[in-house]
Every structure is written in C-alpha cells, then in structure tokens.
Amino acid sequence: DREVETACNDEEASGGGVVRAVNFNSPGQVVIAGHKASVEKAMENARRLGAKRALPLPVSVPSHCALMQSAADQLYQKLLEIPLEMPVAPVIHNQNAAPANSVEEIRERLKLQLFQPVLWVDCVNAMQQAGVDSLIELGPGKVLTGLTRRIDKSLAAHAVFDQDSLTKVQQILMENE
C-alpha cells in the first residue's frame, strides 16, 4: 500500500496532475485514480518500484479521488432532499470503516465516499471484529467475495448475482442456522 502511495506521490512531486491510491481492496491490491496521464506515470513508477501488475481499469470517472469533489457536493445537496432513517443494523461505510451515528453522518459519509479512498480491507476487518462471520455480495459479479477471502479466510463470503446463486446462498445459510 505504501509503495503505491509512493508511486502516486512521485508523480505529483514531478509536476503532474492528480493521482491517488483510492481503493485498498486487499493486501497487495490497490487501485489508483486521477488524471489519465498522471495515472499512467504512477503505474510506470509502481512497476519501477516492483509492482507485479499495474493495469488500467475500464472506468469512466476517477472515482474516490479529489477530482470527484464537485460531484460529491452535488450528491450531498440531493441527499439533503431525501428523507432518511437510521438503518436497523449497523452499516459499515467504506470511507472510514465505521457505522454512522446519525442520519446527517450517513449523508456525509455518502458524500465523502465519492472523493475519498475505499477502505475495503479495513471494512472487512471491522465487520469481523464486530462478530460478522458471513458476508453476502449482491450485484453483477463476485469481486468483493474474492477480495474478502484474500483479506480474512475465516469469513464465509458468498456472491448473489443471479437466481441460481441466490438459491445456492439461501441453502448454505439455512444449513448453517
């Protein structure tokens, strides 16, 4: 993680644009974001520092870095218009790996997650320390499931991405009750 941050800082020190470590996905896997030319230079720096892989990701925006600040401000204004309530169960926010204590803090965390790093390793560790023993990923893939297994093999991690995987996870959960 520190070497990736160094690769990004080296680029900034040389007069380049914005580039930051923005997703701490698992030990040894960190995503960077920023201005395209600066990201490319930081990838070269990472390889020079010994990175095994440094690949560009096919994304349309520089998520989780300072370049998203204005979008985050706009999101926050929209969030102020939406009535929210505290969740029944604690929600660990990826920006600080902790639950919010108020609706206002939820709005603030949602804003911050657009331009501050995702601390997935810290989130998984926080959930494990809170007594969570199973995680279920809902969505089009199973990236977080794989990352979770790399972070803490003691946690059961399951992905639900279609009807078959939903049925399978339901069966697993029923067997473990």
Side-chain angles (χ1 to χ4, degrees):
D1 294 358
R2 297 286 176 240
E3 289 175 339
V4 173
E5 290 172 332
T6 297
C8 293
N9 292 337
D10 286 351
E11 165 57 16
E12 286 187 349
S14 69
V18 171
V19 60
R20 294 276 191 281
V22 297
N23 286 52
F24 295 88
N25 288 340
S26 67
Q29 187 184 97
V30 179
V31 176
I32 63 175
H35 290 109
K36 184 176 180 180
S38 298
V39 168
E40 289 170 355
K41 185 71 169 172
M43 287 171 44
E44 290 173 20
N45 289 343
R47 287 186 198 101
R48 184 177 42 77
L49 291 169
K52 292 178 185 175
R53 291 175 45 184
L55 307 169
L57 298 176
V59 295
S60 60
V61 296
S63 295
H64 312 298
C65 79
L67 297 176
M68 295 298 291
Q69 175 75 54
S70 65
D73 293 339
Q74 291 174 40
L75 172 66
Y76 185 75
Q77 292 307 309
K78 293 294 183 186
L79 289 171
L80 290 173
E81 299 170 11
I82 300 170
L84 297 177
E85 294 181 19
M86 288 299 291
V88 175
V91 174
I92 303 294
H93 295 272
N94 64 22
Q95 180 271 330
N96 68 344
N101 295 312
S102 68
V103 168
E104 179 52 36
E105 189 177 351
I106 291 171
R107 286 186 178 102
E108 184 67 20
R109 296 287 167 220
L110 290 170
K111 170 189 167 183
L112 292 174
Q113 77 178 12
L114 284 182
F115 69 94
Q116 291 189 352
V118 172
L119 306 177
W120 184 245
V121 173
D122 292 348
C123 288
V124 170
N125 290 332
M127 288 184 277
Q128 191 274 340
Q129 291 169 5
V132 171
D133 59 10
S134 296
L135 286 95
I136 301 171
E137 175 180 2
L138 302 173
K142 44 190 172 181
V143 172
L144 296 177
T145 299
L147 293 174
T148 298
R149 289 181 181 140
R150 288 180 63 187
I151 296 166
D152 188 337
K153 291 184 186 349
S154 74
L155 293 171
H158 310 284
V160 174
F161 48 87
D162 61 13
Q163 185 61 47
D164 290 340
S165 61
L166 174 61
T167 301
K168 181 180 175 184
V169 170
Q170 286 174 320
Q171 291 170 345
I172 291 169
L173 293 175
M174 284 187 215
E175 290 171 5
N176 292 333
E177 283 187 354

